[in-house]
Amino acid sequence: MASTLDEQAAVKFIGRVVEVNGEESEIEIMSEFCRGLFHLNHFSHLIVLYWLHLRDNENDRRTLRVIPMRHEGAPEMGVFGTRSPSRPNPIGLCVVELLKLENCALIVKGLDAQEGSPILDIKPYIPRADSIPEAEVPEWTLKGPAT
Amino acid sequence: MASTLDEQAAVKFIGRVVEVNGEESEIEIMSEFCRGLFHLNHFSHLIVLYWLHLRDNENDRRTLRVIPMRHEGAPEMGVFGTRSPSRPNPIGLCVVELLKLENCALIVKGLDAQEGSPILDIKPYIPRADSIPEAEVPEWTLKGPAT
């Protein structure tokens, strides 16, 4: 790989998970990015990219192999074949339902981020591009939590 | 938002799109991250997060409203309601089919990244978590490209 190319970049936090209440979470987007939410409520579901801030350390970011613990029978896997929060770039991804959009705040259902997690990006969920019901997975992914 | 909290973080590039050939793309993962690909081929589909390196500039990252151009009839939207490459964090997301995994290289189908795009993360596509065929979208998303 050419050494003249950049090997890292900066991500800005655009908001934060301010409250988690059972399946519902409140995301607050910083006022400077709030205009980017215009008409977001035209979509029923979103893809939320967030920063796994508790895993932003040398040790977690050096992790390349894991045994998914909450999934009975899972073998050792490369991290890129898991949704483990320990990975070179601690970016979490979750498909959520948008329940409410009001000013700079969103209430979403199903977000697996913790209170305090910084938000990196929000994208509309578009079934044409994002839904592959027939995608094949190993059996251990069918037990335990969805990710 | 508390001012004591970090407002940005660093992402490392773990690889690059080295070739795009029609619908097929080759991704090369840097040798230091290659162990993270172990057993990735147990999944038929992947979610690829990549860096929209051509949009990593002040102007594109300041963009908060767009009119999706390739979609007839699309209204002005907040960027978070679009898949526009101009956004505060130029992170691209694409669901792809894994055609081949060999050493540190992957051949995937359907990746919308350009040759040279840095890779940030690869995650397994898990229908239980990621597939919402019934998600509602505005009509303009049904015309033109999928994203």
Side-chain angles (χ1 to χ4, degrees), chain A residues 127-147:
Chain A
R128 272 177 82 192
D130 303 317
S131 180
I132 316 273
E134 71 279 12
E136 289 163 30
V137 296
E139 208 175 315
W140 60 264
T141 65
L142 304 175
K143 301 167 201 156
T147 55

Side-chain angles (χ1 to χ4, degrees), chain A residues 1-2 5-16 18 28-30 32-40 42-47 49 51-52 56 58 61-62 64-65 71 75-84 87-95 116 118-138 140-147, chain B residues 1-2 5-16 18 28-30 32-40 42-47 49 51-52 56 58 61-62 64-65 71 75-84 87-95 116 118-138 140-147:
Chain A
M1 218 138 283
L5 295 169
D6 289 341
E7 297 200 339
Q8 63 167 42
V11 286
K12 301 187 267 191
F13 300 154
I14 64 162
R16 231 167 256 277
V18 289
E28 199 179 304
I29 298 298
M30 292 182 216
E32 64 181 291
F33 300 109
C34 206
R35 290 181 72 242
L37 299 174
F38 185 56
H39 282 167
L40 187 63
H42 292 182
F43 294 87
S44 66
H45 290 72
L46 307 173
I47 301 174
L49 298 181
W51 193 247
L52 296 153
D56 185 4
E58 270 288 301
R61 296 185 71 157
R62 220 188 292 125
L64 290 174
R65 294 273 176 100
H71 298 273
E76 191 189 38
M77 295 285 301
V79 280
F80 302 126
T82 78
R83 303 288 275 258
S84 168
R87 52 204 309 126
N89 286 306
I91 301 176
L93 181 161
C94 193
V95 177
I119 302 297
L120 296 180
D121 199 3
I122 294 175
K123 299 183 189 287
Y125 187 91
I126 301 174
R128 272 177 82 192
D130 303 317
S131 180
I132 316 273
E134 71 279 12
E136 289 163 30
V137 296
W140 60 264
T141 65
L142 304 175
K143 301 167 201 156
T147 55
Chain B
M1 220 138 283
L5 295 169
D6 288 341
E7 297 200 338
Q8 62 167 43
V11 286
K12 301 187 266 191
F13 300 155
I14 63 163
R16 233 166 254 278
V18 289
E28 199 180 305
I29 299 299
M30 293 182 216
E32 66 180 289
F33 299 109
C34 207
R35 290 181 72 241
L37 299 174
F38 185 56
H39 282 168
L40 187 63
H42 292 183
F43 294 87
S44 67
H45 289 73
L46 307 172
I47 301 173
L49 298 181
W51 194 247
L52 295 153
D56 185 5
E58 271 289 301
R61 296 186 69 157
R62 219 188 293 122
L64 291 173
R65 295 274 176 99
H71 298 273
E76 189 187 39
M77 295 287 299
V79 279
F80 302 126
T82 78
R83 303 289 276 254
S84 168
R87 51 202 312 123
N89 287 307
I91 301 176
L93 181 161
C94 194
V95 176
I119 302 297
L120 296 179
D121 200 3
I122 294 175
K123 298 182 191 290
Y125 187 91
I126 300 176
R128 271 177 84 191
D130 304 317
S131 179
I132 315 274
E134 72 277 14
E136 289 164 29
V137 296
W140 60 263
T141 65
L142 304 175
K143 301 167 200 156
T147 54

Side-chain angles (χ1 to χ4, degrees), chain A residues 95-109:
Chain A
V95 177
V96 302
E97 185 180 352
L98 176 61
L99 299 180
K100 192 175 167 188
L101 171 65
E102 200 172 273
N103 302 318
C104 300
L106 297 77
I107 309 287
V108 299
K109 186 176 169 186

